[in-house]
Structures are given as C-alpha cells and as structure tokens.
Amino acid sequence: MTRIHHLKIYNSLTGQKEVFEPIHENHVGMYVCGPTVYSNVHLGNVRTFMSFDVIFRYLKFLGYKVRYVRNITDVGHIVDDVDDGEDKIAKRARLEQLEPMEIVQKYTVDFHTILSKFNFLPPSIEPTATGHIIEQIQIVQEILDNGLAYVSNGSVYFDVLKYNESKPYGILSGRNLEDMISNSRDLDGQDDKKNAVDFALWKKAEPEHIMRWPSPWGDGFPGWHLECTAMSTKYLGTQFDIHGGGMDLKFPHHECEIAQNEAAKNHAPVKYWMHANLLTLNGKKMAKSTGNSILPGEILSGDNNILSKAFSAAVVRFFMLQAHYRSILDFSDEAILAAEKGFNRLVEAVATLDKIEAANVSTFDVKSWIEQGLQAMDDDFNTPILIANLFEAVKVINSLAEQKTTLTAADLREFKTYIHAFIEDILGIELESKSAAKDELIPQLIDLLIAQRNQARADKNWKLSDELRDNLLQLGIELKDGKDGTTYKY
C-alpha cells in the first residue's frame, strides 16, 4: 500500500502539503515531544498525542515499518519556558513534599493510565531526559567545538546571533530575529547571556537545586530544548522523517531544536515538521486559574462541574477525531453529547452489519467507498472526512437491513473488513457495542430512579424518597439537590 497510495503531509516548515517520501524506503522515523511529568496529563495533551497516535496507526496500516519515539521530560523544563525561574518538577516536589523522582513516577503512571484508557498504541521507544544526560553533554560539547555556544559562569548558552550569520534562526516559526531582539527584555548586567535571545544548553545548578549532574562546566542540568535533540538523533539518526508536537511548541522549543542540530551536525534534522492545534473549553482557553479546565479522568468519571454526565473514552476519542488535527477544537457538553449520539449510531450500525446476509448481486460500490476513505487519510490524515465516509456506510447498512441494497459475499466481507479497519485500526476507536449500550442504559436507569424520588418528594413520601437516595448511595451514586433540580455523581 505504500506504493499504491500518495500520502500528503502538511509540513509546518514549508507551510504546504507535500507528498510523503521517507528518507529510507518503507521505513519511517517519527519523534513526538512527550509530556513534562509534573502534574496530571491535561486534555490538550491527550488531543495532541491522539493525533499522532492516528498518524502512527495509519503509517503502519499502509505497510511502513515505523519507529515512533515519544520522550518523557523528567528534568530541565523551566516554569516559564525560558532560562529563568524554577524547574517544574522541582517546584511540584517541594509543594507535595516528595522527592523529584517520586513526582516523575507518580505523573508518568497517570500519563500511561490515561492514554491506555483512550486506546493509544505505545510508542516504539519512550526515553527519558534523565536517562540521556551523557548524550546531552556530548551535544553541548559539539556545539561549543563548532563555535556556536559559549560558557558563562558555569552555564552554557547557544549563541543565536552568531548562528544566524550562516543559518536563519526563526525558519520554522517565521519569526524575524531583529523583531525578537527588540521585543526581548534588556540585560540588566546580572545575566550570564551575551544576548537576550540566547538560550541555555546547560544551566549551572544553584546550591538549593536538587536535580543536578556533573559536567565539564560544573554541576548543573540540561536546558529544556536539548533533550529532544539528544534523544531524537540517538534513536532515529541525525536526519529523520517526522517530528511532531503541539502548536505551542513550534517556538521556542522546536525552533531551538533545529538550531541545535544544525550547530552540532551541520544539517537540518527533520524532513516533515507536524503540529497539532489547540483544544479550547466552552470557547475559551483552558486554565486552572479561571476554573475553565477539566481532566481526562474527570470526563470518564463524571466528577466535574463542566459536563452533564460521564462519557466513555471511546466517545471522547470519536469526538476529538471529528476535527482535523490542524484545526482548533472546542470541547463542550453540547458538542460531546452530539458526538455520543453519532457514536452510538455508528456502533449500532456495525452490530447490524453482522446480521446482514449476502446476495447474488451488489448494488453498492464497496471499492469506491473504500477508496474515498483511504483518500481522506492520504490527504494529511483527514479524520473528519473519514468519519463522514463512515456515516455514509451507516446509511448503506440501514439500507442493507431493509433489503433495499444488496452485496455479494465477497463485497460484504470486504465492506466489513474496511469498516473495522477504519474505525478500530486507523481511528483507534474501540467498538464496544454491548458495553456502550450498557453504559447508555445506566444513566437512563438513574434518571428513572431520580424521577421516582422526585415524585415521592412531591407526594411528601419522605420515607420512600430517603430510601431511594440511600440505595443509590450504596451503589456509589451520590445525589445532590439544587435549585436547578437533582444531579448526581459517581
């Protein structure tokens, strides 16, 4: 299939779709920036990693041998994403009164647990920053040897202005270096950098800094941008096919990666840069400080103040893939309720398909339908078009059930094969026909009992009302009476 189809990928570096031609025939190297494990994985992260999970799945589906590397950032990520401030993991360790590596372990486990619930395939390799300190020190030394970095008071900084004399700094983000300089804060004489735009390759560890390693320049820790350059090149080579991440990483993180690789290896590291867009909540940026936030686990449990009920991981995944990975996606109760209805229609149709019997003639062009689905994915992994194509299949299935449409045994078999391939293998959506119906039934039964309790209260039958409330509580369902009616949580 790699020879038959013409996959096109939107390359952030060139700003256009390009025919995908891997560096090594039938082999793909893909690196995606993973989480900084200092807190529970948030919904925006899940969306980004889901986008690349689908990309990973489709490349494998096409027959490529894919090495997918997704790192764990467990050191070196400064709070405000520049070179000043406190390491995020160290800060959380102090707040929770734990060792930094206890924080790393706690939130790495959470990350893996959540992604497993959403049916993510594990990457081929999942390296950690702390496991590659030696490689990071080696790259710093290479950049120093090439005259594009300097040591200052025990720290090592990348010399952006000197680099820009021969290579364009800002090539990925489209930023102009002169504008960056004019918008940077003035150096106050206390800063170790030559220029405000320079970034840290290695930071000197102050006495109170817990996470520290010896280096030729003194005890310290790596800069945030360095780890991805070290790990991507170690496992994928100094030039590889795809580098992905969230749109927010384009600058400065990915821009600095390009500069580091050019400075150390004398060539660009990546052929295709890919960036997933943002996820908003009720039309606004998600932020804990404003209360406009929700964790993936809170969606699955229903224990939140944003949504009207709990939703299954399959429904959430289906909802997210209804938008293209390069589009902003807004998460809301209304939107996911609508997605759940569509998902249940799809599940019901697939269950119906198993009962369809073959006929002597086909009145539906299965091969054309399959080709449309593949063309959607070949067009920069266009999952919303593929899902629209699946709903065309739902209409066909309903028509088959009514015997208005017929398929031969061979066409019926191929139709079933590709419906499951599109939904489960490529989109990664688990078809839980029985459990989905059961999950849908439970809220309906709870609503029925709440209605009976409300009637008992209206009739002043307090004994029955209390019994219904207490029985539900014993089952782990807590009722809450408010001015807008009765709600519940698990």
Side-chain angles (χ1 to χ4, degrees):
M1 295 187 98
T2 56
R3 293 188 298 274
I4 296 169
H5 293 277
H6 301 285
L7 173 64
K8 288 186 177 181
I9 293 177
Y10 182 86
N11 190 346
S12 299
L13 188 64
T14 62
Q16 59 188 13
K17 291 180 188 177
E18 299 175 6
V19 174
F20 179 64
E21 295 178 349
I23 296 168
H24 303 289
E25 187 176 2
N26 292 336
H27 288 72
V28 178
M30 181 169 77
Y31 186 92
V32 174
C33 292
T36 303
V37 282
Y38 71 99
S39 64
N40 297 108
V41 61
H42 63 74
L43 201 59
N45 286 147
V46 170
R47 193 222 173 169
T48 295
F49 299 133
M50 188 179 295
S51 298
F52 288 100
D53 181 63
V54 170
I55 290 166
F56 180 36
R57 286 171 177 274
Y58 190 60
L59 290 170
K60 283 164 66 74
F61 178 82
L62 290 180
Y64 289 109
K65 184 175 181 181
V66 187
R67 178 176 287 176
Y68 174 22
V69 182
R70 187 185 65 211
N71 71 298
I72 295 285
T73 298
D74 57 353
V75 68
H77 192 164
I78 304 300
V79 171
D80 54 4
D81 296 347
V82 292
D83 293 324
D84 300 315
E86 189 175 6
D87 185 288
K88 289 183 175 183
I89 292 164
K91 181 178 181 180
R92 179 55 67 101
R94 193 183 72 250
L95 292 173
E96 295 193 21
Q97 296 185 323
L98 295 171
E99 285 291 324
M101 295 316 289
E102 286 183 286
I103 292 295
V104 166
Q105 178 68 10
K106 175 180 177 180
Y107 292 112
T108 299
V109 169
D110 170 74
F111 175 67
H112 289 149
T113 300
I114 291 297
L115 264 57
S116 176
K117 288 181 179 179
F118 285 96
N119 197 34
F120 282 57
L121 295 177
S124 314
I125 303 172
E126 192 174 53
T128 63
T130 55
H132 296 78
I133 298 296
I134 293 173
E135 289 85 352
Q136 294 179 74
I137 289 173
Q138 287 174 340
I139 289 176
V140 174
Q141 190 60 58
E142 287 177 26
I143 297 172
L144 281 167
D145 292 344
N146 289 336
L148 292 170
Y150 56 91
V151 181
S152 177
N153 191 27
S155 295
V156 183
Y157 293 97
F158 190 94
D159 194 332
V160 171
L161 267 61
K162 192 167 185 181
Y163 169 82
N164 195 64
E165 291 174 4
S166 58
K167 302 282 185 180
Y169 182 76
I171 189 171
L172 179 65
S173 60
R175 298 193 182 202
N176 180 278
L177 184 57
E178 290 182 1
D179 293 338
M180 284 188 258
I181 293 170
S182 63
N183 291 329
S184 299
R185 61 180 175 80
D186 292 328
L187 297 177
D188 56 11
Q190 304 298 317
D191 203 304
D192 295 327
K193 300 180 188 179
K194 289 181 182 177
N195 304 287
V197 291
D198 294 347
F199 59 88
L201 298 171
W202 185 265
K203 283 287 286 183
K204 175 184 177 181
E206 299 302 328
E208 68 275 8
H209 200 93
I210 301 171
M211 303 182 83
R212 58 202 297 140
W213 290 265
S215 80
W217 319 286
D219 281 5
F221 55 95
W224 170 35
H225 314 303
L226 187 63
E227 60 175 291
C228 289
T229 296
M231 290 184 280
S232 63
T233 55
K234 179 180 175 74
Y235 297 109
L236 299 175
T238 58
Q239 288 184 304
F240 55 95
D241 300 297
I242 297 172
H243 193 317
M247 193 74 74
D248 56 319
L249 296 181
K250 187 183 285 189
F251 186 90
H253 186 52
H254 290 161
E255 197 74 72
C256 292
E257 279 191 62
I258 292 174
Q260 287 168 165
N261 202 286
E262 289 270 15
K265 311 297 181 184
N266 297 312
H267 55 69
V270 179
K271 192 169 183 182
Y272 305 93
W273 283 91
M274 300 182 70
H275 293 92
N277 216 322
L278 303 175
L279 180 71
T280 57
L281 180 60
N282 291 322
K284 299 177 183 177
K285 182 180 178 181
M286 283 194 284
K288 288 182 182 178
S289 58
T290 62
N292 192 51
S293 67
I294 188 169
L295 292 173
E298 293 172 340
I299 299 171
L300 305 182
S301 68
D303 188 12
N304 62 80
N305 298 319
I306 304 287
L307 305 176
S308 57
K309 59 174 219 162
F311 293 91
S312 73
V315 167
V316 177
R317 186 170 180 118
F318 177 77
F319 164 75
M320 287 189 174
L321 296 179
Q322 285 183 309
H324 191 266
Y325 77 90
R326 286 193 289 113
S327 301
I328 292 175
L329 173 62
D330 187 53
F331 190 91
S332 69
D333 189 54
E334 183 181 4
I336 196 166
L337 280 169
E340 185 180 53
K341 289 180 180 177
F343 174 76
N344 289 337
R345 277 178 56 213
L346 186 59
V347 169
E348 187 179 330
V350 173
T352 300
L353 185 59
D354 291 334
K355 303 169 189 174
I356 302 298
E357 294 183 0
N360 294 326
V361 65
S362 293
T363 58
F364 171 69
D365 190 344
V366 172
K367 284 183 170 53
S368 176
W369 175 82
I370 291 169
E371 184 58 31
Q372 287 171 13
L374 293 172
Q375 284 176 359
M377 290 303 294
D378 283 343
D379 184 18
D380 194 29
F381 311 99
N382 202 322
T383 57
I385 298 298
L386 176 60
I387 289 173
N389 199 48
L390 286 168
F391 279 105
E392 287 300 316
V394 170
K395 294 177 185 177
V396 173
I397 292 168
N398 292 334
S399 183
L400 286 166
E402 295 169 2
Q403 297 184 333
K404 294 178 180 177
T405 300
T406 58
L407 290 175
T408 63
D411 280 348
L412 182 59
R413 185 165 55 249
E414 194 168 27
F415 192 42
K416 287 180 181 179
T417 297
Y418 272 88
I419 280 182
H420 284 278
F422 286 149
I423 297 171
E424 296 174 292
D425 298 340
I426 295 173
L427 296 178
I429 298 169
E430 293 182 293
L431 283 174
E432 310 160 304
S433 52
K434 290 182 181 177
S435 60
K438 195 168 157 187
D439 289 345
E440 183 65 26
L441 184 61
I442 289 171
Q444 293 176 17
L445 290 172
I446 295 172
D447 289 340
L448 180 62
L449 290 170
I450 289 174
Q452 289 183 352
R453 178 172 173 267
N454 288 340
Q455 186 59 53
R457 295 176 74 192
D459 296 339
K460 298 191 183 333
N461 188 345
W462 308 119
K463 182 181 178 183
L464 177 59
S465 170
D466 290 345
E467 282 179 359
L468 288 167
R469 180 198 63 207
D470 294 342
N471 288 339
L472 282 168
L473 189 58
Q474 286 180 354
L475 295 171
I477 299 159
E478 182 182 354
L479 300 185
K480 185 176 181 181
D481 298 316
K483 60 180 182 179
D484 296 326
T486 302
T487 58
Y488 67 90
K489 69 177 183 177
Y490 295 101

